[in-house]
Amino acid sequence: MLVSTLLLITITASGAALTYLVFIEKPLMWRLAAGSIIGSVMFASAAFAAACLIGFGTVTIIASLAIAMLPLLLLMRRDVRDSFRNNINKARGKLEGANFAKLGNFAYYAFFFLLFWFFFARAMFEMKDGIYTGGSQNLGDLPFHLGAIFSFTDGNNFPPQNPSWSGAKFTYPFFADFLTACFVKLGAGVKDALFTQNVAWAFSLLVILERFVARLTQSKLAGRIAPALLIFSGGLGFVWFARDFWESGFGIWHFLTHLPRDYTIGDHFRWGNSMVVLFMTQRSLLLGMPLTILVLGFLWKIFASEKIAADGDAKFFTLSPFHFSPFLIGLLAGTLPLIHLHSLVVLFVVAAFCFVLRPEKWREWIMFGIGVCVIAVPQLVWALSGSATETTKFFEWHFGWDKGDTNVFWFWIKNTGLVIPMLIAGIYIVFLTHRRKDTEKEKIKDQRSKISPLLLFYLPFIFLFIVSNTAKLAPWEWDNIKILIYWFVGSLPLIAFALAWLWERKGLFKVIAATCFVFLILAGALDVWRTVSAQINTRVFDADAMKVANEIKRKTAPNALILNAPTYNSAVVLSGRRSLMRYSGHLSSHGIDYGPRENDVRRIYQGGGVADILLRKYDIDYVLISPEERDSMRANDAFFAKYPVVAEASQYRVYKIKN
């Protein structure tokens, strides 16, 4: 873990230095959080470009790390050094002199840091009999990410080809996994690299979201509330929990330590807790979301008619008559196609609405758009050319998201609980507050607008919610959650503001605020607790799969093509070698028509003359036969006995097809 930690510190310092180009009045903790994300993006971008050009070796990665550290040279500027010293002094002042407020601040961040530590430690862990996961929804996603990582570290997969579908470009946003591969190449263990990155990105998300909500609502309390609502998101699952507890006959502690199921995802629920169904399983979102919120915060600055130069944003670079800082933020946003493409779609929608609603800021919007296009367009062109994905499968009219036969109104109440009622309350409170200021002729940011800028800024998020409930934006309708989660994030300022407004009143209002807060997080907290308390121990790879994977690494070429059953946890995943095809669930969700190839795989395993023809057709180098192939593919061991065995472990055998 030492190597991973040192690398994270290095890239965080570099990213934090870069924040002084655009953001001046920001606290040190925010800079470190943003630096963790920006530094990760810079390092991954430099290393990926170098790897595609000259190969993925240790020297290449070290050189890329040196390039990513160049922003540290900004500290040579006197004004940057002064700002940095000011940040240090303010941070030191917050630590000096213990009092209740400072203790509360420390406890807040310490709680979430420890939560992330214990939660992500369950994403992947090893025992004597194999590799395990403690996430209820991570069984298929963990091997997918490991397959991507090992394809870089051991398969020399540059330019990246899809390790799960040979012959096609790897179009899944892979930067998070590629960055893990960089850490592994420099000596970190894959488990440690995954863990340290996940914890760092999750904590960065916490800090960036807190500041974002506090800025939009002008309420520090709302800023503190919002991350908890995201991290413990859920619906009415606590009602089902109460029923299960009542029927179990066990004591409360015994039941809490032996929870029978999740209470935000399953037969009755589809929304899912963000930590359980998104941040552990979809690492791309864990990196993409804090980056997106960071950009959204900058768009809000422009939208809310704040002068950019007033906050020092254009202090270092000004291209008259255009401000240069929107261009820099646009460059950062432009990296999203290879990080998390759905996040880029969200930013596109938000920026389009902002342009329409605040056209007088056209210079800033154009500079931002140019910055995005400079980076994003080449990435999109590269990703879409040579892809096996059928783009027509990514849009279809589909009402009610994943509601099934459930009434759509009950579906959303059941899945999100008090989210929508509190959102409506927040909209009403913000509207009345803004109207009262206007009536009292207090100075507001945009005298021409009779509607609060916060409510106008929320319009694109309403649009995202409506679209996600009327159309299917991915081959699998549940994947609309990658857009819907941003509707939720956009709603958090209003929900948190409503809770803060109630709490700051007296008497019964405080009780209502506390009760609503508990109901909003209870179901999600149960699912997070189920993971943290190690109640789930699911084996993903057995010890024999790990052994034969190591043998494959030693005895086959990095670019070897291996035939295996289309399952999520084939031993080939751990070898870094390409598969003719892997898990059909992943392939279908990526818009790949896998049916004909799956039939050919089945025919090969059953043997006979047609098997020899198909082996030559697909240019297969090796064939894996394991219990999975024998069970699901009815593998004909006698047919493959004519080929030499190059790797073997218990019931696992790898046959060499080509001489």
Side-chain angles (χ1 to χ4, degrees):
M1 192 178 294
L2 178 61
V3 173
S4 297
T5 302
L6 291 176
L7 286 170
L8 271 174
I9 291 173
T10 301
I11 61 179
T12 296
S14 180
L18 199 61
T19 64
Y20 287 97
L21 283 180
V22 179
F23 305 99
I24 300 302
E25 297 300 326
K26 298 290 185 181
L28 182 62
M29 179 174 287
W30 184 93
R31 291 193 186 281
L32 294 176
S36 172
I37 303 303
I38 296 172
S40 295
V41 172
M42 289 193 304
F43 179 34
S45 300
F48 177 67
C52 289
L53 291 174
I54 59 177
F56 190 57
T58 303
V59 174
T60 302
I61 301 173
I62 293 175
S64 302
L65 181 62
I67 293 173
M69 292 173 60
L70 289 178
L72 289 172
L73 295 176
L74 288 169
L75 292 173
M76 296 177 64
R77 294 180 58 115
R78 181 176 179 179
D79 43 11
V80 175
R81 288 199 307 273
D82 290 343
S83 297
F84 176 67
R85 291 194 190 98
N86 186 44
N87 280 148
I88 293 293
N89 291 333
K90 287 183 177 179
R92 186 182 294 116
K94 291 180 180 180
L95 295 176
E96 294 175 350
N99 56 46
F100 183 77
K102 292 180 179 180
L103 182 61
N105 288 339
F106 175 80
Y108 177 84
Y109 295 113
F111 168 78
F112 281 109
F113 180 80
L114 291 174
L115 175 69
F116 298 146
W117 183 281
F118 288 109
F119 182 85
F120 288 109
R122 303 294 300 168
M124 173 186 173
F125 56 96
E126 296 183 33
M127 301 180 71
K128 292 182 179 179
D129 59 340
I131 296 174
Y132 282 74
T133 183
S136 63
Q137 307 298 311
N138 201 33
L139 180 60
D141 290 276
L142 175 60
F144 176 83
H145 291 295
L146 290 178
I149 293 166
F150 288 129
S151 77
F152 296 128
T153 60
D154 297 282
N156 194 28
N157 189 18
F158 297 95
Q161 298 295 304
N162 193 334
S164 299
W165 185 262
S166 67
K169 188 167 289 183
F170 196 19
T171 56
Y172 179 87
F174 52 76
F175 257 28
D177 293 330
F178 173 70
L179 189 65
T180 304
C182 292
F183 279 33
V184 173
K185 272 291 190 179
L186 292 180
V190 64
K191 178 176 68 69
D192 292 339
L194 286 167
F195 171 74
T196 52
Q197 289 172 357
N198 289 345
V199 172
W201 295 341
F203 194 80
S204 296
L205 173 60
L206 167 78
V207 176
I208 292 171
L209 177 61
E210 177 198 1
R211 181 78 176 184
F212 173 73
V213 173
R215 186 69 176 270
L216 266 64
T217 61
Q218 298 297 306
S219 169
K220 290 185 178 180
L221 179 57
R224 289 292 174 87
I225 292 172
L229 299 180
L230 176 64
I231 291 165
F232 298 119
S233 61
L236 298 182
F238 57 85
V239 177
W240 276 255
F241 163 80
R243 185 182 63 186
D244 288 346
F245 168 63
W246 181 262
E247 294 175 352
S248 71
F250 295 117
I252 183 62
W253 178 247
H254 181 276
F255 188 75
L256 282 173
T257 54
H258 297 81
L259 292 173
R261 53 174 167 163
D262 287 334
Y263 290 98
T264 64
I265 189 74
D267 294 336
H268 300 286
F269 303 97
R270 301 305 298 152
W271 178 242
N273 170 260
S274 62
M275 292 282 284
V276 173
V277 305
L278 293 176
F279 298 150
M280 177 183 284
T281 62
Q282 300 182 30
R283 303 186 66 241
S284 296
L285 180 64
L286 189 59
L287 176 59
M289 181 174 283
L291 173 60
T292 302
I293 297 175
L294 192 154
V295 176
L296 286 173
F298 188 83
L299 295 181
W300 164 257
K301 285 169 60 62
I302 302 174
F303 182 82
S305 299
E306 297 180 13
K307 292 182 180 180
I308 298 178
D311 195 31
D313 292 347
K315 183 176 180 180
F316 300 104
F317 292 102
T318 301
L319 185 60
S320 181
F322 300 107
H323 292 302
F324 202 76
S325 49
F327 177 75
L328 292 178
I329 295 297
L331 291 177
L332 187 63
T335 62
L336 281 169
L338 296 182
I339 297 174
H340 192 252
L341 184 58
H342 289 80
S343 295
L344 181 65
V345 173
V346 170
L347 284 180
F348 174 81
V349 171
V350 174
F353 269 80
C354 288
F355 183 85
V356 172
L357 294 170
R358 288 286 187 271
E360 69 275 10
K361 291 292 199 177
W362 64 272
R363 292 181 176 85
E364 285 77 13
W365 303 133
I366 289 177
M367 287 298 288
F368 173 75
I370 292 174
V372 173
C373 291
V374 167
I375 303 297
V377 171
Q379 288 188 6
L380 289 171
V381 171
W382 175 85
L384 293 176
S385 60
S387 169
T389 297
E390 298 182 20
T391 54
T392 56
K393 294 184 177 181
F394 279 78
F395 184 86
E396 180 181 333
W397 295 112
H398 184 86
F399 178 71
W401 183 39
D402 202 15
K403 71 179 183 63
D405 297 328
T406 308
N407 175 276
V408 67
F409 297 104
W410 170 236
F411 171 81
W412 278 108
I413 292 297
K414 180 175 67 172
N415 276 273
T416 61
L418 295 182
V419 165
I420 293 176
M422 290 304 301
L423 173 61
I424 295 172
I427 291 173
Y428 181 70
I429 293 171
V430 170
F431 174 78
L432 286 184
T433 302
H434 184 79
R435 184 178 179 182
R436 186 176 300 112
K437 288 182 179 180
D438 191 27
T439 301
E440 296 172 357
K441 297 182 179 181
E442 292 184 4
K443 183 179 179 181
I444 60 176
K445 295 177 181 178
D446 189 350
Q447 292 289 347
R448 293 172 300 170
S449 176
K450 299 302 180 181
I451 303 176
S452 166
L454 177 56
L455 298 184
L456 292 175
F457 193 70
Y458 183 60
L459 289 178
F461 299 98
I462 297 177
F463 174 79
L464 292 171
F465 181 79
I466 293 172
V467 170
S468 298
N469 274 276
T470 54
K472 189 170 65 170
L473 306 176
W476 181 29
E477 62 269 16
W478 189 83
D479 273 347
N480 275 20
I481 198 171
K482 297 175 183 178
I483 298 293
L484 285 166
I485 190 64
Y486 279 108
W487 159 74
F488 184 61
V489 169
S491 303
L492 287 177
L494 295 165
I495 299 171
F497 183 74
L499 290 171
W501 186 89
L502 288 169
W503 180 259
E504 289 167 352
R505 286 351 182 230
K506 297 180 179 179
L508 184 60
F509 286 102
K510 285 187 179 293
V511 176
I512 294 174
T515 303
C516 290
F517 177 74
V518 171
F519 284 170
L520 283 165
I521 69 169
L522 184 53
L526 288 169
D527 285 1
V528 172
W529 163 253
R530 186 170 182 238
T531 302
V532 169
S533 57
Q535 297 182 41
I536 304 168
N537 297 282
T538 305
R539 189 169 67 179
V540 184
F541 298 99
D542 60 33
D544 291 330
M546 298 171 66
K547 290 177 183 177
V548 80
N550 288 329
E551 287 294 302
I552 293 173
K553 288 182 183 181
R554 289 196 309 109
K555 298 180 179 180
T556 68
N559 62 345
L561 177 58
I562 301 179
L563 181 72
N564 55 266
T567 183
Y568 61 89
N569 62 342
S570 172
V572 180
V573 167
L574 301 177
S575 71
R577 279 26 176 190
R578 295 174 299 139
S579 293
L580 182 64
M581 71 171 292
R582 290 182 190 163
Y583 184 43
S584 57
H586 290 151
L587 298 174
S588 64
S589 68
H590 298 161
I592 296 175
D593 182 12
Y594 63 87
R597 185 176 291 190
E598 184 179 37
N599 289 333
D600 287 346
V601 170
R602 190 179 304 276
R603 294 165 71 189
I604 293 174
Y605 273 113
Q606 291 174 359
V610 70
D612 290 321
I613 296 173
L614 292 172
L615 286 169
R616 289 192 296 271
K617 171 187 175 181
Y618 289 109
D619 201 24
I620 302 297
D621 295 306
Y622 301 90
V623 172
L624 169 69
I625 294 184
S626 73
E628 178 63 35
E629 282 73 23
R630 295 185 182 96
D631 291 341
S632 64
M633 297 284 106
R634 298 181 180 178
N636 187 342
D637 285 89
F639 172 80
F640 291 99
K642 62 184 179 183
Y643 297 107
V645 176
V646 297
E648 186 174 6
S650 186
Q651 299 186 62
Y652 289 76
R653 289 185 180 85
V654 179
Y655 295 94
K656 184 178 181 180
I657 305 301
K658 293 170 60 177
N659 294 324

